[in-house]
Amino acid sequence: MTDTAQDSDPADDDGAAVAVAEPSGEESLAAKLEEPPSDWWVRRYTFFGTAVGLAFIWLSMTPSLLPRGPLFQGIVSGAAGACGYGLGVLSVWAVRYMRSKDSSPKAPLWAWLILIGLGIIGQVLAVIWFHVWQDEVRDMMGVPRMKFWDHPLTAVYSIVFLFGFVEIGQLIRKLVRFLMRQLERIAPPRVSGVVAVLLVITLFVEIFNGVVGSYAMSWINQTFAAANDEDDPDNPAPTTPLRSGGPGSLASWSSLGRQGRIFVGNGPSVEELSKFNGSKAIEPIRTYAGLHSANGIRATAKLAAQELKRTGGLDRAVVAVATTTGTGWINEAEAASLEYMYNGNTAIVSMQYSFLPSWISFLVDKANAQEAGQELFEEVDALVRQMPEGKRPKLVVFGESLGSFGGEAPFLALNNLVARTNGALFSGPTFNNVIWTELTRYRDAGSPEKLPIYDDGRNARLGSRPEDFTRPSGAPWDHPRVVYLQHASDPIAWWNPDLLFSKPDWLSEPRGRDVSPRMEWIPVVTFLQVSADMAVAVDVPDGHGHVYVRDVANAWADVLQPAGWTPEKTERLRPLLHPSAGT
């Protein structure tokens, strides 16, 4: 098998290489334009594949949810263009294969010239369009606009990454062609082509699921396990028995993990609480069990609950069960708000079920998040119910992102959540959140998906700003109360496989307050755009994307309505809140 236009190689398509003999005598301009481009260019880059790749680059620059820098957008566009190129190549090959043709017509030089001209014009227009909606979204979120040179830089990055990804594809093509040559010795060409492609696909699947996948997961586990064990000399073990890892603790300081030590070692001091509330505070209780504190999720949950009992947490006014994200992270703003509102008369209990980042945990530890949320709540709930009814603390639950997913696990329905707790706060829910999905799907007629109202807001309210929790106007809000914080621009909340081929209501309705009105649903494209947004979901200011900090003060105030707490105190508290590092 040779590198000619007669090859049935699926990657050659309409741009298969062909040695063009030089005609004798003087050629006309028309004849020149009918010639295909140089042998090297046609062999490496096919016409239809290039055209589809360019179209995919332009689609990747259509409006989405969040601000993007030139390098990140360049990677996204380059990957999109490479996927488009591959689809274009595959489509032509499939048509040729079904027509039983050995080759496809070569695109003449004039067609390539037109494509190059349209490519330049299209890329300029796409970058201008990207510039317009990016400025719009950045202004909505208070993010500085991109510099003038960032926009042409985005275009350059896109093309560079496109060719980089395509070159990787060319290496795969060479492997396919090599296998085809070997197989043609014992099988017909068409059979050889199909078998070669299937062999390469199988090879890569086996490599990535087997050797590479095993080594990759091993490396990931080792890397994040090492990060989990890192100790911060600026965050020493507590000297108070009211914190896990301190004197008398059932869990050692080192066993708590990095995020557990951050959670236990932080929070407002007694002096800060007393100053804020104008009265003597008591020291808040924070208990935590890490992956190394016990053997298995059930044992870890039991240990965390016993830590709560040991510290006297059951005698506090409020006991809060917090479900963590993948690394064991807890939103410090959600924890500190409770402690300020009750002047330290609180106990927060939590546990770690993974040391992987949330996006990896969501893929491989999702069941662990549910099990941890279930086991920990059941252990704490059992301790609370053993107390005389009149002396029981308020029992609340909270969590963010994957923590909200795990935090829902013990209940599975709003009526169960309301019956078994005194309130809940979940921020940045995921599409897998059972209760949140039900509240959104069966929302009251006329309420938008981005700000749904369920059952006239009787027990649960969903919103992105404090004023959203007053909806519907004048309707009673019974106790216990549940709040879901969800930003219109949060890709974690709105990412869903249904985006591939189904237009969501939130893109049929008027756009959210921080979403570009230019954003429209495009099959497949919108799914990929929102998927890309997830990578930069926390790289935006508070109140946008997947960042929930100050508004949690308003949410907790609405959920619990602490005695003596006022809206003025909420406004004074908001600037004091901050998230802890990492997720």
Side-chain angles (χ1 to χ4, degrees):
M1 188 172 178
T2 59
D3 295 342
T4 67
Q6 280 68 41
D7 282 348
S8 59
D9 172 29
D12 284 342
D13 304 332
D14 50 346
V18 58
V20 181
E22 289 293 332
S24 58
E26 189 174 332
E27 295 180 310
S28 67
L29 177 60
K32 288 180 179 290
L33 291 178
E34 288 299 324
E35 287 183 1
S38 68
D39 180 74
W40 175 85
W41 177 267
V42 175
R43 177 163 49 223
R44 299 193 68 80
Y45 306 111
T46 72
F47 180 82
F48 193 70
T50 303
V52 177
L54 284 171
F56 270 54
I57 286 182
W58 302 336
L59 288 172
S60 73
M61 293 185 173
T62 54
S64 194
L65 292 172
L66 297 175
R68 299 176 179 180
L71 178 59
F72 179 72
Q73 181 60 43
I75 294 173
V76 170
S77 294
C83 290
Y85 181 90
L87 286 174
V89 166
L90 184 62
S91 298
V92 174
W93 174 79
V95 170
R96 189 181 72 190
Y97 185 83
M98 288 186 290
R99 296 179 62 206
S100 298
K101 298 293 185 180
D102 291 328
S103 63
S104 301
K106 276 72 67 181
L109 178 60
W110 63 263
W112 279 99
L113 293 175
I114 291 176
L115 180 61
I116 292 171
L118 290 176
I120 294 172
I121 295 171
Q123 190 69 4
V124 170
L125 293 176
V127 169
I128 292 173
W129 184 232
F130 177 73
H131 161 77
V132 169
W133 75 262
Q134 274 287 298
D135 282 354
E136 191 171 59
V137 168
R138 287 167 179 269
D139 290 346
M140 289 175 177
M141 298 185 182
V143 176
R145 291 187 173 189
M146 296 170 69
K147 301 292 189 294
F148 172 78
W149 53 82
D150 285 334
H151 298 291
L153 190 59
T154 300
V156 172
Y157 279 141
S158 300
I159 301 300
V160 169
F161 281 108
L162 167 63
F163 281 106
F165 289 130
V166 169
E167 285 301 311
I168 294 174
Q170 297 286 5
L171 294 176
I172 297 173
R173 182 203 68 168
K174 289 182 179 180
L175 176 60
V176 172
R177 293 178 63 186
F178 171 78
L179 291 174
M180 287 174 63
R181 291 191 186 100
Q182 308 311 309
L183 290 169
E184 280 182 350
R185 298 174 182 175
I186 57 174
R190 296 190 185 283
V191 174
S192 301
V194 173
V195 173
V197 171
L198 291 176
L199 283 174
V200 169
I201 292 174
T202 303
L203 176 65
F204 277 91
V205 169
E206 286 300 315
I207 288 175
F208 282 97
N209 282 346
V211 179
V212 174
S214 176
Y215 277 109
M217 283 308 300
S218 176
W219 176 82
I220 289 171
N221 280 316
Q222 290 175 8
T223 300
F224 289 106
N228 180 67
D229 294 336
E230 285 180 0
D231 200 4
D232 183 359
D234 295 328
N235 185 28
T239 57
T240 170
L242 300 182
R243 300 286 171 113
S244 292
S249 174
L250 303 175
S252 68
W253 180 244
S254 61
S255 75
L256 301 185
R258 180 172 176 270
Q259 290 299 337
R261 291 190 291 271
I262 290 174
F263 168 68
V264 169
N266 283 278
S269 66
V270 171
E271 291 74 19
E272 290 170 328
L273 294 171
S274 300
K275 181 180 178 181
F276 181 88
N277 287 294
S279 59
K280 181 62 177 177
I282 61 175
E283 184 177 357
I285 292 173
R286 291 190 176 191
T287 63
Y288 193 97
L291 276 176
H292 302 311
S293 300
N295 186 20
I297 288 178
R298 178 171 294 183
T300 305
K302 187 178 290 292
L303 179 65
Q306 290 303 312
E307 269 288 278
L308 176 69
K309 184 177 181 180
R310 176 193 68 81
T311 58
L314 297 172
D315 298 322
R316 294 300 174 95
V318 175
V319 170
V321 179
T323 304
T324 67
T325 62
T327 57
W329 178 85
I330 295 173
N331 187 342
E332 175 63 23
E334 294 180 349
S337 292
L338 282 174
E339 293 165 340
Y340 274 105
M341 289 178 183
Y342 285 88
N343 209 20
N345 193 12
T346 58
I348 303 175
V349 56
S350 189
M351 63 174 282
Q352 182 185 24
Y353 55 84
S354 173
F355 44 67
L356 299 175
S358 284
W359 66 274
I360 301 179
S361 290
F362 192 75
L363 297 175
V364 300
D365 281 338
K366 189 164 56 177
N368 287 345
Q370 287 184 303
E371 185 181 356
Q374 174 86 39
E375 294 291 343
L376 182 58
F377 179 82
E378 297 297 348
E379 291 289 342
V380 174
D381 184 55
L383 292 177
V384 170
R385 292 187 180 279
Q386 290 173 8
M387 302 176 66
E389 192 167 343
K391 293 185 177 181
R392 293 175 184 174
K394 288 186 174 182
L395 179 60
V396 299
V397 292
F398 70 92
E400 179 174 316
S401 193
L402 193 57
S404 73
F405 168 70
E408 285 188 351
F411 315 107
L412 298 181
L414 178 62
N415 59 352
N416 196 10
L417 173 58
V418 169
R420 301 189 65 190
T421 72
N422 297 103
L425 169 60
F426 296 125
S427 52
T430 73
F431 81 99
N432 271 332
N433 281 52
V434 176
I435 300 176
W436 176 75
T437 300
E438 290 296 300
L439 300 185
T440 303
R441 179 179 298 151
Y442 299 110
R443 63 190 181 274
D444 294 352
S447 66
E449 184 177 31
K450 64 180 179 293
L451 290 174
I453 296 173
Y454 178 82
D455 192 25
D456 273 339
R458 186 169 302 278
N459 287 110
R461 306 229 169 161
L462 304 86
S464 62
R465 295 288 188 275
E467 57 268 25
D468 295 333
F469 306 134
T470 62
R471 302 172 312 117
S473 179
W477 191 359
D478 296 342
H479 290 276
R481 295 178 171 184
V482 177
V483 161
Y484 281 90
L485 271 172
Q486 54 188 61
H487 297 147
S489 57
D490 185 355
I492 307 297
W494 306 119
W495 184 91
N496 191 312
D498 291 346
L499 275 175
L500 279 166
F501 304 110
S502 178
K503 185 176 183 178
D505 289 345
W506 59 273
L507 282 176
S508 299
E509 307 156 350
R511 305 297 176 263
R513 54 170 60 94
D514 56 353
V515 175
S516 171
R518 304 175 194 275
M519 184 176 180
E520 296 291 344
W521 178 75
I522 305 172
V524 180
V525 174
T526 300
F527 171 81
L528 296 175
Q529 287 285 67
V530 174
S531 299
D533 284 332
M534 293 170 71
V536 291
V538 297
D539 298 334
V540 290
D542 178 32
H544 306 282
H546 199 58
V547 184
Y548 300 87
V549 183
R550 297 186 177 188
D551 289 339
V552 303
N554 303 77
W556 271 132
D558 282 338
V559 168
L560 291 171
Q561 295 186 300
W565 191 262
T566 64
E568 290 73 27
K569 280 190 171 183
T570 301
E571 290 305 310
R572 285 200 294 119
L573 174 59
R574 286 171 58 89
L576 302 179
L577 300 179
H578 59 86
S580 51
T583 57

